[in-house]
Amino acid sequence: SVPYPVLQVFDAPKGDAACIRRQRSNTPLQALVLLNETQFPQCAQALATRLLREGGDSDASRLNYGFALATSRQADAEELSILKEQLNQQRSRIADGEIDAEKLLGVDATTFKRLTGGSATEAAALMLVARTLLNLDETISK
């Protein structure tokens, strides 16, 4: 009847009693869990792979698609601009060797391409943007 510890951070009710409405809170501990718990980077990787596969060919279409998946609405021009800037920053960090795309994805580039058909470096950059999308307050609490 005790919920998974990560769910307790997000005020999940216990399984032995009825709960009409879950309490909402926003704490720093939740942000740490979303950034560091193993399953959340895996979720970001899955979202990035989905964006590569289903999001279209342009950065704008991929970012709009990801934003819509995370928030259930389209990104406005300012939000899209911020996401594009972040994507370009992550691409630069990967190109400069500051981030190892293969290590981030947990698989070498050849295997990633064989499994998904996409570029590992592009997926890694999108994964970092996907982490941002999944950590938006609008995504978490609305």
Side-chain angles (χ1 to χ4, degrees), residues 47-59:
L47 179 57
T49 303
R50 187 171 176 188
L51 296 180
L52 282 173
R53 193 177 309 129
E54 302 171 11
D57 295 329
S58 71
D59 290 343

Side-chain angles (χ1 to χ4, degrees), residues 10-11 27 43 49 59 69 76 83 90 103 105-107 109-111 126 129 131 135 138 141:
F10 292 95
D11 307 315
T27 66
C43 291
T49 303
D59 290 343
L69 287 173
D76 64 31
L83 291 172
Q90 302 311 326
K103 189 173 183 179
L105 295 171
V107 65
T110 306
T111 305
L126 280 170
V129 174
R131 287 182 76 181
N135 279 287
E138 188 171 355
S141 46

Side-chain angles (χ1 to χ4, degrees), residues 100-121:
D100 183 354
E102 293 179 355
K103 189 173 183 179
L104 182 65
L105 295 171
V107 65
D108 65 273
T110 306
T111 305
F112 186 84
K113 182 147 182 93
R114 183 173 41 81
L115 293 173
T116 66
S119 160
T121 55

Side-chain angles (χ1 to χ4, degrees), residues 30-50:
Q30 291 172 347
L32 288 172
V33 166
L34 289 170
L35 289 172
N36 296 309
E37 179 67 25
T38 307
Q39 64 200 17
F40 293 105
Q42 291 171 347
C43 291
Q45 182 178 356
L47 179 57
T49 303
R50 187 171 176 188

Side-chain angles (χ1 to χ4, degrees), residues 7-142:
L7 295 178
Q8 287 181 318
V9 172
F10 292 95
D11 307 315
K14 294 184 178 177
D16 59 354
C19 177
I20 307 239
R21 177 185 252 169
R22 182 178 73 85
Q23 294 286 341
R24 282 191 184 178
S25 66
N26 189 351
T27 66
L29 185 56
Q30 291 172 347
L32 288 172
V33 166
L34 289 170
L35 289 172
N36 296 309
E37 179 67 25
T38 307
Q39 64 200 17
F40 293 105
Q42 291 171 347
C43 291
Q45 182 178 356
L47 179 57
T49 303
R50 187 171 176 188
L51 296 180
L52 282 173
R53 193 177 309 129
E54 302 171 11
D57 295 329
S58 71
D59 290 343
S61 66
R62 288 178 179 161
L63 295 172
N64 262 324
Y65 183 60
F67 194 90
L69 287 173
T71 65
S72 299
R73 69 174 179 86
Q74 293 296 314
D76 64 31
E78 182 182 1
E79 292 164 333
L80 188 59
S81 173
I82 291 167
L83 291 172
K84 282 182 184 178
E85 183 180 329
Q86 184 190 14
L87 181 61
N88 290 328
Q89 287 174 348
Q90 302 311 326
R91 285 177 177 149
S92 295
R93 292 176 68 199
I94 292 168
D96 293 344
E98 185 180 334
I99 296 174
D100 183 354
E102 293 179 355
K103 189 173 183 179
L104 182 65
L105 295 171
V107 65
D108 65 273
T110 306
T111 305
F112 186 84
K113 182 147 182 93
R114 183 173 41 81
L115 293 173
T116 66
S119 160
T121 55
E122 188 63 18
L126 280 170
M127 179 183 167
L128 295 168
V129 174
R131 287 182 76 181
T132 300
L133 291 172
L134 294 174
N135 279 287
L136 292 172
D137 183 57
E138 188 171 355
T139 303
I140 297 164
S141 46
K142 290 186 180 175

